[in-house]
Amino acid sequence: MLNTAGHLVPLDLPPTHRPRPTWHHAPVLRHEPVGDDRYRFLRLHAPTIAARAQAGQFVMLTAARTDEVGPVLPRPMAIYDAAPETGTIDVVYGVLGGGTRKLSTFAVGETMLVTGPLGQGFHLTAGSNHVLLLGRGIGTCSLTMVAAANTARGGVTTAVVSARHPGALVGVDVLRRGGTGQLHQVTDMDATSEPDFLAALLTTTLDNNPPELILTCGSQRLVDLAAELGRRWGAEVQVSVEAHMACGLGYCHGCSSGQRGEGREAPLVCLDGPVFRWNVDNG
């Protein structure tokens, strides 16, 4: 089995690389079940966020209505897709706890407080024409906007979308619409999501034209696979990290990545991430 140890390193891009966040009392345009019974698709009219959002960034959604006192803390959600021409952003989320259950009660026509775009998104580095995406479950939502961004600059995208069963696969529509070339849909149900199977599949199909950049989110097994493939092909690996957050802006310092730097606080997932470079540990 693959087991490649490593650690997270901030991308350390200049502040001008990421857009300035804002907020909207955004009208809910669509809100409906999608795929797996736990998942919901949410479309909000938030034109400034839609115009500024970069692949891999997130928003904070407030589950409390304006006349309610709770839930107090907003929920961080990856931006699944953005349409600047219509001013909309899409989010796909899982209903897992009290906050997301409350979010799921918002009806079309209501407004929801949304803040964003937030965080450090993926960085499509110069020279990385071929990009490989490895997504698992709801974590795939962090990767979906990459395909369109890579296509717009003339790049080639290969993607693996993994889930427990076919009904839980997320992101296929946006990845295809964004211009993804090879798109592999794999599941636990038929064992095609196993790392060894994926390693064999990807080395067989990509060794003759390997990606220069590998992006992943949603599973430690996929991080390990990305690290192994990155070492094989000499490709850079970037990982989007999921974490509980209180503010999403770096004020509360509550979402440490756990990767402590010498003489300074550990990087924050909301501010220094959620996307980090993955460095493989040697020795």
Side-chain angles (χ1 to χ4, degrees):
M1 294 295 293
L2 299 167
N3 185 12
T4 305
H7 62 281
L8 302 170
V9 178
L11 295 181
D12 284 336
L13 296 170
T16 53
H17 175 76
R18 69 178 79 180
R20 184 177 180 180
T22 186
W23 58 271
H24 288 281
H25 285 289
V28 176
L29 302 181
R30 286 178 57 187
H31 201 185
E32 59 208 31
V34 60
D36 192 293
D37 290 342
R38 300 174 303 162
Y39 296 159
R40 298 291 186 275
F41 175 92
L42 172 66
R43 175 166 291 169
L44 299 169
H45 187 249
T48 306
I49 297 175
R52 297 178 182 177
Q54 297 176 349
Q57 290 193 294
F58 66 97
V59 292
M60 297 294 283
L61 302 180
T62 297
R65 293 170 172 85
T66 54
D67 58 346
E68 296 174 333
V69 296
V72 175
L73 300 180
R75 267 47 180 183
M77 300 291 174
I79 302 173
Y80 182 67
D81 201 7
E85 65 277 9
T86 58
T88 60
I89 60 169
D90 295 342
V91 169
V92 174
Y93 66 96
V95 181
L96 303 174
T100 48
R101 281 196 296 272
K102 188 62 177 293
L103 279 177
S104 71
T105 67
F106 277 74
V108 171
E110 290 191 89
T111 60
M112 182 183 297
L113 179 60
V114 53
T115 304
L118 298 168
Q120 172 59 60
F122 291 104
H123 181 46
L124 300 179
T125 51
S128 57
N129 176 70
H130 187 180
V131 178
L132 172 62
L133 310 178
L134 302 174
R136 170 74 178 181
I138 206 72
T140 306
C141 296
S142 297
L143 302 165
T144 43
M145 287 182 61
V146 172
N150 195 36
T151 297
R153 65 178 195 145
V156 175
T157 305
T158 298
V160 173
V161 179
S162 173
R164 293 175 295 114
H165 56 82
L169 291 167
V170 173
V172 173
D173 56 341
V174 179
L175 289 168
R176 283 179 172 158
R177 190 165 63 245
T180 299
Q182 296 183 52
L183 178 57
H184 304 283
Q185 301 177 55
V186 300
T187 67
D188 299 350
M189 185 176 291
D190 60 8
T192 54
S193 63
E194 289 296 318
D196 289 339
F197 177 89
L198 285 175
L201 171 67
L202 293 171
T203 54
T204 299
T205 57
L206 298 180
D207 267 355
N208 289 333
N209 179 28
E212 298 89 5
L213 180 62
I214 305 173
L215 313 179
T216 186
C217 184
S219 164
Q220 182 59 47
R221 295 197 310 175
L222 288 183
V223 173
D224 293 340
L225 174 60
E228 184 68 19
L229 294 174
R231 176 178 285 171
R232 179 187 183 96
W233 295 325
E236 179 182 344
V237 176
Q238 294 177 20
V239 180
S240 180
V241 177
E242 299 169 295
H244 293 291
M245 298 179 188
C247 72
L249 296 164
Y251 297 148
C252 70
H253 293 249
C255 60
S256 168
S257 66
Q259 305 288 324
R260 185 172 298 279
E262 183 176 352
R264 66 187 184 95
E265 182 184 33
L268 301 177
V269 173
C270 72
L271 195 61
D272 301 294
V275 176
F276 294 86
R277 183 174 293 108
W278 184 258
N279 280 5
V280 175
D281 292 335
N282 297 312

